[in-house]
């Protein structure tokens, strides 16, 4: 009985020495890759989502007074409240994307539009002051 259990739970390494090592290395690397992907997504959700939300809040705060004649304080409040929705959507996008690379690239693409808008409006308007 002991020999059967020993042979079942602990394969003999002299028969296939590389097979067990390859399986163990493959499992470790797959587990590490998975954990790295989750960590990358979490970082993208926190940092990238915050960046996109902050840029959209700034863009709305600069655009709303010019577009709708809104008071600047109301435009800032509206932009800030809208940024909570943008942040939630960015976090959902990060964890819904197929890969972590796609999640990061989607956040960069989403940040380009409000970022360039903020850059244009601050240069044209003298800093928004």
């Amino acid at each position: 009985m002991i020999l059967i259990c020993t042979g079942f739970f602990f394969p003999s390494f002299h028969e296939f020495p590389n097979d067990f090592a390859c399986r163990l290395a493959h499992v470790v690397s797959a587990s590490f890759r998975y954990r790295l992907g989750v960590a990358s997504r979490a970082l993208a959700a926190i940092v990238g989502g915050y960046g996109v939300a902050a840029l959209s809040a700034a863009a709305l705060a600069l655009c709303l007074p010019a577009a709708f004649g809104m008071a600047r304080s109301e435009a800032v409040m509206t932009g800030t409240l809208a940024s909570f929705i943008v942040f939630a959507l960015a976090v959902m996008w990060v964890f819904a994307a197929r890969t972590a690379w796609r999640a990061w690239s989607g956040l960069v693409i989403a940040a380009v539009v409000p970022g360039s808008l903020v850059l244009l409006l601050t240069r044209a308007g003298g800093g928004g002051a």
Side-chain angles (χ1 to χ4, degrees):
M1 180 72 175
I2 293 174
L3 291 175
I4 293 171
C5 289
T6 304
F8 181 71
F9 290 115
F10 303 109
S12 62
F13 293 108
H14 65 276
E15 291 178 13
F16 304 105
N18 293 330
D19 185 41
F20 186 72
C22 286
R23 279 188 292 160
L24 186 61
H26 179 67
V27 169
V28 170
S29 68
S31 173
F32 181 72
R33 260 186 275 132
Y34 173 76
R35 291 174 192 266
L36 190 62
V38 171
S40 176
R41 286 174 190 260
L43 190 66
I46 295 167
V47 176
Y50 177 78
V52 171
L55 284 172
S56 66
L60 281 173
L62 290 172
C63 288
L64 288 176
F68 298 109
M70 199 181 261
R72 289 174 67 191
S73 61
E74 292 175 1
V76 169
M77 184 63 71
T78 304
T80 303
L81 289 175
S83 72
F84 289 111
I85 296 170
V86 171
F87 184 76
L89 290 174
V91 170
M92 285 190 278
W93 158 253
V94 164
F95 287 104
R98 194 173 293 231
T99 62
W101 177 253
R102 204 175 271 190
W104 278 103
S105 62
L107 287 176
V108 168
I109 291 169
V112 166
V113 174
S116 60
L117 195 59
V118 167
L119 186 65
L120 285 172
L121 290 174
T122 54
R123 298 227 180 205

